[in-house]
Amino acid sequence: VWDDGQRQEHFPAAAQHLPRWNGEIYDSASETTRLRVEVRHAPCRDANGAMQPDSVRVVINGAARRGCGFGL
């Protein structure tokens, strides 16, 4: 779900890659959309000012968004 909930798409299981930096990259694609999620295990301050253990970058069809995350 993205674009403030206006768009929703289902993706097959993502392929995991281990980059040189400490983290993971996940790639997947549907018929119309490419998805990449980059997780860096580095501290990140979220919008509420709380520290989270990971910095996350999500790229959908070339448009990138950055934020913080933590393992589920």
Side-chain angles (χ1 to χ4, degrees), residues 1-60:
V1 176
W2 68 95
D3 287 343
D4 294 324
Q6 299 300 310
R7 294 181 60 186
Q8 179 177 335
E9 189 137 5
H10 297 276
F11 293 92
Q16 181 184 17
H17 309 279
L18 299 176
R20 291 184 189 190
W21 37 266
N22 187 17
E24 301 88 29
I25 297 173
Y26 300 92
D27 286 309
S28 188
S30 70
E31 291 181 13
T32 60
T33 306
R34 295 188 54 78
L35 172 68
R36 171 173 273 210
V37 178
E38 300 172 358
V39 179
R40 293 179 185 262
H41 300 305
C44 179
R45 187 174 308 278
D46 69 18
N48 295 320
M51 292 303 293
Q52 302 297 335
D54 298 321
S55 175
V56 180
R57 180 173 180 254
V58 177
V59 183
I60 300 173

